[in-house]
Short mmCIF file of all heavy atoms in Angstrom, two decimals:
data_model
loop_
_atom_site.label_atom_id
_atom_site.label_comp_id
_atom_site.label_asym_id
_atom_site.label_seq_id
_atom_site.Cartn_x
_atom_site.Cartn_y
_atom_site.Cartn_z
N ARG A 35 177.16 270.98 156.77
CA ARG A 35 175.78 271.35 157.31
C ARG A 35 175.99 271.97 158.74
O ARG A 35 175.18 272.90 159.10
CB ARG A 35 175.01 270.01 157.45
CG ARG A 35 173.52 270.31 157.85
CD ARG A 35 172.69 269.10 157.80
NE ARG A 35 172.83 268.28 156.50
CZ ARG A 35 172.27 267.16 156.39
NH1 ARG A 35 171.66 266.55 157.39
NH2 ARG A 35 172.46 266.48 155.28
N ASP A 72 152.71 263.82 143.87
CA ASP A 72 153.63 264.06 144.79
C ASP A 72 154.71 265.02 144.28
O ASP A 72 155.28 266.00 144.93
CB ASP A 72 154.35 262.81 145.28
CG ASP A 72 153.39 261.81 146.08
OD1 ASP A 72 152.58 262.42 146.99
OD2 ASP A 72 153.39 260.74 145.83
N SER A 89 167.61 279.62 150.40
CA SER A 89 168.61 278.85 149.78
C SER A 89 168.24 277.50 149.23
O SER A 89 167.34 276.93 149.79
CB SER A 89 169.88 278.79 150.63
OG SER A 89 169.61 277.97 151.64
N ALA A 126 171.90 265.75 140.85
CA ALA A 126 171.39 265.09 142.14
C ALA A 126 170.01 264.43 141.78
O ALA A 126 169.79 263.22 142.17
CB ALA A 126 171.20 265.95 143.21
N MET A 141 164.28 269.81 132.56
CA MET A 141 163.85 271.20 132.71
C MET A 141 164.48 271.83 133.92
O MET A 141 164.78 273.05 133.88
CB MET A 141 162.39 271.18 132.78
CG MET A 141 161.53 270.90 131.51
SD MET A 141 159.78 271.01 131.76
CE MET A 141 159.48 272.75 132.10
N GLY A 153 161.27 279.44 137.97
CA GLY A 153 160.23 279.26 136.80
C GLY A 153 160.17 277.99 136.17
O GLY A 153 159.00 277.61 135.84
N ALA A 159 155.60 271.86 137.68
CA ALA A 159 154.40 271.59 138.64
C ALA A 159 153.12 271.73 137.79
O ALA A 159 152.21 270.95 137.86
CB ALA A 159 154.42 272.70 139.74
N LEU A 168 144.50 264.80 133.67
CA LEU A 168 144.30 264.05 132.41
C LEU A 168 144.15 262.52 132.73
O LEU A 168 143.25 261.85 132.32
CB LEU A 168 145.43 264.22 131.32
CG LEU A 168 145.17 263.67 129.95
CD1 LEU A 168 144.07 264.36 129.29
CD2 LEU A 168 146.45 263.82 129.08
N ASN A 170 143.31 261.17 135.55
CA ASN A 170 142.09 260.92 136.32
C ASN A 170 140.76 260.94 135.48
O ASN A 170 139.95 260.25 135.61
CB ASN A 170 141.93 262.06 137.40
CG ASN A 170 142.88 261.88 138.59
OD1 ASN A 170 143.46 260.80 138.69
ND2 ASN A 170 143.15 263.01 139.25
N ILE A 184 134.03 242.99 134.95
CA ILE A 184 134.46 242.07 136.17
C ILE A 184 133.21 241.40 136.77
O ILE A 184 133.16 240.29 136.94
CB ILE A 184 135.35 242.84 137.03
CG1 ILE A 184 136.61 243.29 136.31
CG2 ILE A 184 135.58 242.01 138.30
CD1 ILE A 184 137.51 244.10 137.29
N VAL A 192 130.11 232.15 138.82
CA VAL A 192 129.31 231.69 139.99
C VAL A 192 128.16 230.77 139.44
O VAL A 192 127.91 229.71 140.05
CB VAL A 192 128.74 232.95 140.73
CG1 VAL A 192 127.66 232.41 141.70
CG2 VAL A 192 129.98 233.45 141.54
N LYS A 202 121.40 220.76 136.63
CA LYS A 202 121.77 219.53 135.81
C LYS A 202 121.28 218.31 136.49
O LYS A 202 120.72 217.50 135.92
CB LYS A 202 123.40 219.51 135.84
CG LYS A 202 123.96 218.23 135.10
CD LYS A 202 125.32 218.26 135.27
CE LYS A 202 125.92 216.83 134.84
NZ LYS A 202 127.35 216.79 135.07
N MET A 204 118.57 218.15 138.37
CA MET A 204 117.22 218.07 138.25
C MET A 204 116.87 217.70 136.76
O MET A 204 115.94 216.95 136.65
CB MET A 204 116.74 219.59 138.46
CG MET A 204 115.15 219.68 138.45
SD MET A 204 114.58 221.33 139.15
CE MET A 204 115.40 222.31 137.97
N VAL A 220 125.34 223.34 130.36
CA VAL A 220 125.86 222.18 131.21
C VAL A 220 127.22 221.74 130.77
O VAL A 220 127.98 221.41 131.67
CB VAL A 220 124.81 221.09 130.95
CG1 VAL A 220 125.35 219.65 131.59
CG2 VAL A 220 123.42 221.33 131.53
N LEU A 234 142.63 230.75 136.33
CA LEU A 234 143.26 231.45 137.43
C LEU A 234 144.64 231.50 137.31
O LEU A 234 145.42 232.58 137.57
CB LEU A 234 142.73 230.77 138.71
CG LEU A 234 143.27 231.28 140.10
CD1 LEU A 234 142.77 232.89 140.13
CD2 LEU A 234 142.84 230.58 141.25
N ASN A 247 156.85 243.20 131.47
CA ASN A 247 157.23 243.31 130.07
C ASN A 247 156.39 244.35 129.33
O ASN A 247 156.56 244.55 128.08
CB ASN A 247 157.13 242.01 129.39
CG ASN A 247 158.05 240.90 129.90
OD1 ASN A 247 159.27 240.98 129.60
ND2 ASN A 247 157.60 239.98 130.75
N ALA A 250 158.43 246.84 127.49
CA ALA A 250 159.44 246.32 126.71
C ALA A 250 159.08 246.80 125.15
O ALA A 250 157.83 246.84 124.85
CB ALA A 250 159.53 244.88 126.67
N LYS A 273 143.78 261.20 121.32
CA LYS A 273 143.80 262.68 121.86
C LYS A 273 144.57 262.93 123.02
O LYS A 273 145.22 263.91 123.18
CB LYS A 273 142.20 263.10 122.09
CG LYS A 273 141.33 263.19 120.84
CD LYS A 273 139.97 263.41 121.21
CE LYS A 273 139.14 263.50 119.83
NZ LYS A 273 137.74 263.74 120.20
N PHE A 283 156.13 269.11 124.96
CA PHE A 283 157.04 269.92 124.02
C PHE A 283 157.03 271.34 124.29
O PHE A 283 158.28 272.05 124.30
CB PHE A 283 156.53 269.46 122.58
CG PHE A 283 157.51 269.85 121.51
CD1 PHE A 283 158.91 269.93 121.89
CD2 PHE A 283 157.25 269.92 120.19
CE1 PHE A 283 159.92 270.24 120.87
CE2 PHE A 283 158.14 270.37 119.32
CZ PHE A 283 159.55 270.44 119.54
N ASN A 285 156.55 272.84 127.23
CA ASN A 285 157.33 273.14 128.39
C ASN A 285 158.82 273.01 128.29
O ASN A 285 159.56 273.72 128.79
CB ASN A 285 156.78 272.22 129.54
CG ASN A 285 155.55 272.59 130.15
OD1 ASN A 285 155.33 273.68 130.48
ND2 ASN A 285 154.69 271.60 130.29
N GLN A 295 167.01 267.70 121.62
CA GLN A 295 166.92 267.03 123.02
C GLN A 295 165.54 266.97 123.44
O GLN A 295 165.03 265.87 124.07
CB GLN A 295 167.82 267.70 123.92
CG GLN A 295 167.92 267.02 125.38
CD GLN A 295 168.84 267.77 126.24
OE1 GLN A 295 169.49 268.76 125.92
NE2 GLN A 295 168.93 267.35 127.49
N ILE A 326 159.85 271.28 111.61
CA ILE A 326 159.28 270.28 112.50
C ILE A 326 157.93 269.86 111.87
O ILE A 326 157.62 268.64 111.83
CB ILE A 326 158.96 270.85 113.80
CG1 ILE A 326 160.25 271.26 114.61
CG2 ILE A 326 158.20 269.94 114.84
CD1 ILE A 326 160.21 271.89 115.96
N VAL A 335 149.32 259.89 112.98
CA VAL A 335 148.80 259.92 114.37
C VAL A 335 148.58 261.38 114.74
O VAL A 335 147.81 261.72 115.61
CB VAL A 335 149.81 259.34 115.32
CG1 VAL A 335 151.16 260.15 115.40
CG2 VAL A 335 149.31 259.16 116.71
N LYS A 359 148.33 276.15 123.11
CA LYS A 359 147.07 276.11 122.58
C LYS A 359 146.52 274.66 122.12
O LYS A 359 145.33 274.40 122.53
CB LYS A 359 146.88 277.06 121.51
CG LYS A 359 147.03 278.54 121.87
CD LYS A 359 146.75 279.44 120.75
CE LYS A 359 146.86 280.98 121.25
NZ LYS A 359 146.73 281.93 120.06
N ASP A 366 140.61 269.85 126.44
CA ASP A 366 139.07 270.05 126.54
C ASP A 366 138.39 268.90 125.71
O ASP A 366 137.31 268.32 125.97
CB ASP A 366 138.78 271.32 125.87
CG ASP A 366 139.20 272.55 126.79
OD1 ASP A 366 139.40 272.23 128.02
OD2 ASP A 366 139.45 273.59 126.21
N ALA A 377 128.50 258.72 129.35
CA ALA A 377 127.01 258.75 129.18
C ALA A 377 126.49 257.64 128.26
O ALA A 377 125.45 257.07 128.49
CB ALA A 377 126.63 260.21 128.68
N MET A 383 126.65 249.06 128.84
CA MET A 383 127.09 247.94 129.65
C MET A 383 125.97 247.33 130.52
O MET A 383 126.07 245.99 130.82
CB MET A 383 128.13 248.52 130.69
CG MET A 383 129.39 249.06 129.86
SD MET A 383 130.25 247.87 128.94
CE MET A 383 130.81 246.65 130.26
N GLY A 393 120.41 235.61 129.46
CA GLY A 393 120.53 234.50 128.51
C GLY A 393 120.72 233.22 129.29
O GLY A 393 120.23 232.07 128.90
N SER A 406 106.52 221.73 130.32
CA SER A 406 105.16 222.25 130.59
C SER A 406 104.32 222.21 129.27
O SER A 406 103.16 221.86 129.26
CB SER A 406 105.30 223.81 130.99
OG SER A 406 104.05 224.38 131.12
#
Side-chain angles (χ1 to χ4, degrees):
R35 191 176 306 171
D72 297 314
S89 67
M141 287 183 68
L168 189 63
N170 289 338
I184 293 174
V192 168
K202 176 189 172 184
M204 186 171 60
V220 170
L234 180 61
N247 296 280
K273 291 175 181 178
F283 198 19
N285 283 314
Q295 186 179 352
I326 297 174
V335 70
K359 290 182 178 180
D366 293 339
M383 293 305 293
S406 177

